[in-house]
Amino acid sequence: MSDTTVTATTASAAARATTRAAATAGSAPPSASVLDSAAELSEFADQIADQIESFLVVVRAVARGDAPDSAVPMLLLEVSQLLLAGGRLGAVQDVVPEERFEEDPGPDPDLDELREKLAELLKPCDNYREVFDPLATQPELEARRISDDIASAVSDLAHGLTHYRAGRTLEALWWWQFSYLNAWGPAASAAVRALQSIIARSRLQE
């Protein structure tokens, strides 16, 4: 692992530790759904985990080159379905773990190879531009890559899945919900627009 990767991993862990208190202190939207019982939370976590595991399996298969001619449509379908899980996470009341600080699930996976393989598959349509914050007074365009967005989402989702598989259901839900709002949600939303544009341009120009 490179020094840059180690530094990024350390910074990511520090960011998770410092944002827990601020995130859990926030209030839920007035219309947020409430999961009242442990059984409801457990069932909800199982459903979200199933969707996330399906996404990770397909993305890794695409990166391996299992179906190179179908890479873009498959990614569009899987990222779109992933955003359904994200929408459900965003629609429920804030999940608050019992512990103030996140338990360390271990090192995050090295996704450089997955990112590079996706970039190679998506060449030359990997790069695109996105409005960083459409609600800003002066929205700015930023340069992005679909491969980066998807690899970033995989990292966030796998992190939460580690908690889930260790039986830390609340921790997993908190992480998936929080990172949906500030990390993998925006990345997946940007990527799905780019993927849809690729397919639309291809189909409409035929």
Side-chain angles (χ1 to χ4, degrees):
M1 183 180 293
S2 67
D3 292 342
T4 302
T5 303
V6 172
T7 302
T9 301
T10 304
S12 176
R16 289 196 292 268
T18 56
T19 54
R20 164 63 68 81
T24 56
S27 59
S31 58
S33 300
V34 178
L35 300 175
D36 291 323
S37 68
E40 287 179 327
L41 278 170
S42 179
E43 182 180 6
F44 182 65
D46 291 344
Q47 293 169 357
I48 297 298
D50 283 345
Q51 289 181 275
I52 287 172
E53 288 180 323
S54 174
F55 172 78
L56 296 180
V57 166
V58 174
V59 167
R60 286 165 179 155
V62 170
R64 286 196 305 268
D66 289 0
D69 294 337
S70 303
V72 171
M74 289 179 66
L75 289 174
L76 175 62
L77 176 60
E78 290 302 318
V79 178
S80 297
Q81 291 179 336
L82 176 66
L83 286 171
L84 173 60
R88 296 182 67 196
L89 287 164
V92 299
Q93 191 176 45
D94 290 349
V95 177
V96 181
E98 297 175 357
E99 298 296 329
R100 182 176 178 84
F101 297 100
E102 179 189 11
E103 183 170 339
D104 184 8
D108 291 332
D110 183 358
L111 296 173
D112 286 346
E113 183 179 4
L114 180 139
R115 180 184 291 105
E116 291 168 2
K117 287 183 176 180
L118 287 175
E120 184 65 27
L121 277 171
L122 293 169
K123 192 188 297 184
C125 56
D126 191 26
N127 295 282
Y128 70 101
R129 291 186 177 275
E130 171 76 2
V131 175
F132 176 68
D133 182 359
L135 298 181
T137 304
Q138 296 181 328
E140 298 181 2
L141 284 177
E142 62 176 357
R144 302 183 69 104
R145 296 202 311 172
I146 299 172
S147 56
D148 287 341
D149 291 334
I150 293 177
S152 175
V154 167
S155 177
D156 288 331
L157 297 168
H159 181 89
L161 202 57
T162 301
H163 284 305
Y164 174 80
R165 288 171 175 166
R168 297 186 291 270
T169 301
L170 281 179
E171 193 72 50
L173 282 176
W174 175 83
W175 175 253
W176 286 328
Q177 186 183 61
F178 174 67
S179 58
Y180 165 71
L181 296 174
N182 82 334
W184 70 262
S189 297
V192 84
R193 286 191 290 272
L195 291 164
Q196 191 274 339
S197 293
I198 294 170
I199 290 180
R201 284 170 175 260
S202 174
R203 299 280 179 83
L204 294 176
Q205 290 176 1
E206 289 180 352

